[in-house]
Amino acid sequence: MKLLLISANRERSPYPVFPIGLACLAPSLAASGHELRGLDLCFSEEPIAAITAALDGFNADAAIISIRNIDNVTWPGVRSYLAGVREVVAACRERAMTIVGGSGFSIMPSELLAFLGADYGVAGEGEEALPRLLAAIAAGETVTGIPGVVLPGKPSFLPPVPVHAIATPDRTLFDVASYHKLGGMANLQTKRGCPFSCTYCTYPLLEGAQVRIRPVAEIIAEIRALVEGYGVNYLYFVDDIFNYPVAFAEELCGAMSAAKLPVNWSAFINPDFLPSRLLDAMLAAGCDALEFGTDSGAQTMLTSLRKSFSVETIRESSRLCRERGVDFAHYILFGGPGETEATVHETFSLMDELQPTAVIGMTGIRIFPGTELHRLAIAEGVVTAAESLLEPKFYISAAVRDTLCDLVTAEALQRTNWVVPGLEINISDAMLEMLRHFPVRGPLWKLMKRLGRSRIRPV
């Protein structure tokens, strides 16, 4: 078949994100004999016209539409993307069969398929399921026995099966250079699966609880191809946790150092798995910024959110970063179960003590089906079991529901290293667009140390 692979993501805040999921699908689809073209709507001024031209020009048999996110998971400044995605699907259906998938779709497959009106859906990882679906369609065979395949009007389907071998993505279908130029970095994945049990997180639901690791030699070859083929000089590892398992992270960093490739990089880090030897190996391999998924500075909240680490672990990992002079940021989620004004103040106090380069704070936690937070929200009457979560719903502890935004705003504005996207403190779309005109490499929060004062809606 002729397949048009469409990245429906148009969000560019804080960075445009290369469609690595579709790039990972391409090798298995090509190996199955399909002819592929790519269409990326992230930089398109007229997406519907672009879709029409691409489908007609290619004479595509099917449009494979990837949904990265369904909203920006930010409160109170929430933005849903679903109306735009439905327009994309409708435009495709006029000319070709439509199949939707991606991480955003996989969170609520049956509901999303019904809302979007596509012909088929593929939940979970599609490298094996999608070629099987296409082969069955071509042969006129039933598709109901394929794990992960979702059909209109049939809410029940076989659960997806995680792929064993993660392919090296084929990036040739999309514009790597634009993402590197406008986003300041290229994305790369070394593993899938998350064995942790944070109450709100969808990673274990999307990728499974078993960690599956790519061969280090393949990762090094991919980095080399990005450097030599596209001029990439900065990487962001999109693994939910880069530094777990520790032995694998050490092996990868050692191989990167030995390869002597001219790249810097950053990654998302769990404070619980950062021995000094690993941090030193990371820095030797080119790491120049760490992002900690800390969530809170109050021990009661860490326990409530089922984090694997303690306040003391956060202190120790931050101390290691300060001693080595490396930029680091802590990501905070305010409003979880048990949050009070006292725990909010505990978090601000701990961040003052740790002196990170930046703190990125979010008010409220997006509720997703299948998570422990969803079950708790039902028990507390925040949402009902029958309530659709396509429209963004956020959990905010009853103790701070009416005061959280004012409290976080008042505290964050007293500190120059805080960014609060939902409240537009030290961040705005206008500011991000302005910064993209400068050759910024890596995370934009590294610029926080240059900020003279905190402000709302910066220009």
Side-chain angles (χ1 to χ4, degrees):
M1 291 187 189
K2 289 187 173 183
L3 306 179
L4 181 66
L5 274 57
I6 301 176
S7 176
N9 176 49
R10 302 193 67 208
E11 180 63 83
R12 295 195 289 174
S13 178
Y15 319 97
V17 179
F18 180 86
I20 196 169
L22 281 177
C24 286
L25 281 179
S28 62
L29 292 173
S32 299
H34 299 288
E35 185 178 349
L36 309 178
R37 294 277 177 87
L39 175 62
D40 189 351
L41 301 180
C42 190
F43 307 115
S44 176
E45 296 297 328
E46 298 181 5
I48 304 304
I51 290 168
T52 301
L55 287 171
D56 290 347
F58 185 39
N59 194 25
D61 298 302
I64 313 300
I65 304 165
S66 176
I67 305 169
R68 180 174 179 264
N69 290 312
I70 61 175
D71 57 71
N72 65 345
V73 298
T74 301
W75 187 87
V78 64
R79 290 198 297 260
S80 175
Y81 309 137
L82 289 182
V85 177
R86 185 160 61 177
E87 291 178 356
V88 168
V89 172
C92 291
R93 286 201 75 190
E94 294 179 1
R95 290 168 168 77
M97 176 175 61
T98 54
I99 303 173
V100 292
S103 57
F105 174 77
S106 300
I107 292 173
M108 291 176 261
S110 297
E111 283 186 270
L112 278 166
L113 187 64
F115 178 84
L116 297 172
D119 297 303
Y120 300 92
V122 176
E125 297 166 341
E127 289 95 326
E128 296 173 1
L130 183 55
R132 286 186 62 186
L133 171 62
L134 292 168
I137 292 171
E141 299 172 351
T142 180
V143 302
T144 54
I146 304 174
V149 169
V150 189
L151 300 177
K154 296 184 178 180
S156 298
F157 60 94
L158 291 178
V161 177
V163 300
H164 178 69
I166 304 168
T168 297
D170 177 3
R171 300 175 190 258
T172 58
L173 297 174
F174 304 99
D175 186 0
V176 176
S178 289
Y179 280 98
H180 188 239
K181 178 181 178 182
L182 295 175
M185 49 192 165
N187 53 359
L188 190 144
Q189 186 177 47
T190 74
K191 67 179 83 72
R192 293 181 189 165
C194 181
F196 301 99
S197 55
C198 303
T199 59
Y200 56 85
C201 187
T202 59
Y203 270 113
L205 302 176
L206 295 174
E207 298 185 354
Q210 181 178 354
V211 178
R212 291 156 291 140
I213 295 169
R214 294 177 59 196
V216 167
E218 289 185 11
I219 299 169
I220 297 299
E222 183 179 357
I223 296 173
R224 190 179 303 279
L226 285 167
V227 172
E228 298 177 353
Y230 298 101
V232 167
N233 57 19
Y234 202 100
L235 300 171
Y236 185 83
F237 288 98
V238 298
D239 309 338
D240 56 320
I241 300 173
F242 174 83
N243 58 320
Y244 182 86
V246 171
F248 170 72
E250 289 180 331
E251 180 187 0
L252 175 58
C253 289
M256 292 176 67
S257 295
K260 299 186 186 310
L261 296 170
V263 291
N264 290 107
W265 55 274
S266 54
F268 212 66
I269 303 297
N270 183 316
D272 217 12
F273 304 96
L274 194 65
S276 58
R277 68 179 187 278
L278 174 56
L279 180 55
D280 290 338
M282 290 167 60
L283 300 182
C287 176
D288 69 359
L290 286 75
E291 299 186 337
F292 289 103
T294 307
D295 288 1
S296 179
Q299 185 58 55
T300 55
M301 291 307 301
L302 296 177
T303 302
S304 171
L305 296 171
R306 295 191 180 178
K307 306 303 291 185
S308 68
F309 46 84
S310 67
V311 167
E312 286 307 312
T313 310
I314 298 170
R315 282 194 173 100
E316 174 62 15
S317 57
S318 299
R319 181 188 65 80
L320 292 174
C321 291
R322 286 197 313 273
E323 287 181 350
R324 286 153 178 79
V326 61
D327 288 325
F328 66 105
H330 286 286
Y331 280 74
I332 301 297
L333 296 176
F334 287 114
E339 188 86 89
T340 64
E341 291 192 5
T343 58
V344 171
H345 284 296
E346 281 186 62
T347 295
F348 276 98
S349 295
L350 182 66
M351 293 300 111
D352 290 345
E353 174 191 333
L354 302 182
Q355 303 173 34
T357 310
V359 184
I360 295 87
M362 308 292 287
T363 50
I365 304 178
R366 174 61 154 105
I367 303 170
F368 287 113
T371 63
E372 181 62 31
L373 185 67
H374 184 213
R375 290 186 283 272
L376 179 62
I378 292 172
E380 293 183 357
V382 176
V383 296
T384 67
E387 191 170 352
S388 171
L389 296 175
L390 292 182
E391 185 70 25
K393 302 290 193 306
F394 290 81
Y395 185 99
I396 301 175
S397 169
V400 292
R401 191 166 296 151
D402 297 329
T403 61
L404 183 62
C405 287
D406 289 341
L407 176 57
V408 171
T409 297
E411 293 292 334
L413 285 175
Q414 297 179 48
R415 297 156 171 89
T416 60
N417 64 336
W418 275 76
V419 176
V420 188
L423 302 176
E424 293 197 286
I425 296 174
N426 289 329
I427 191 170
S428 71
D429 289 343
M431 182 187 77
L432 293 171
E433 286 294 334
M434 179 185 70
L435 288 173
R436 289 191 190 100
H437 291 88
F438 296 90
V440 179
R441 297 169 67 249
L444 293 177
W445 55 258
K446 291 174 67 177
L447 300 176
M448 291 303 295
K449 53 194 170 186
R450 304 180 192 176
L451 194 65
R453 62 182 177 86
S454 289
R455 66 205 78 189
I456 295 177
R457 297 179 182 269
V459 177

